[in-house]
Amino acid sequence: MKNTLWSKTNETYMSWMNNEDWFNLGKADAWSDKPKRPPEDAQAASMYDLGYSEGGIKHSPMINNHR
């Protein structure tokens, strides 16, 4: 499913973005320590929130240390 949305944050037209695009944007915003700025569309906002949550997860440094 694709969504056409208008970004009020920077007043530019965000052309057709799919669910994966919104997920990745949310993750990138979390990694960059940017505040949440989900779109108005419910499905796109849900995907953005999922990505933002995923990007905000801090993993233990012990996960990759196998002895």
Side-chain angles (χ1 to χ4, degrees):
M1 172 189 268
K2 298 205 177 214
N3 301 302
T4 302
L5 298 171
W6 178 260
S7 171
K8 292 184 178 181
T9 57
N10 59 7
E11 297 299 321
T12 59
Y13 185 77
M14 298 185 88
S15 62
W16 295 90
M17 291 177 66
N18 63 31
N19 289 336
E20 185 176 356
D21 294 332
W22 285 112
F23 180 83
N24 290 333
L25 181 60
K27 213 163 34 167
D29 283 354
W31 287 340
S32 301
D33 290 326
K34 292 181 181 176
K36 269 188 174 181
R37 49 190 179 114
E40 292 180 18
D41 178 80
Q43 171 123 6
S46 177
M47 295 307 295
Y48 177 90
D49 285 340
L50 284 172
Y52 199 91
S53 296
E54 176 75 18
I57 295 173
K58 304 285 186 221
H59 296 283
S60 167
M62 299 303 288
I63 289 175
N64 293 324
N65 293 338
H66 299 283
R67 291 185 180 198

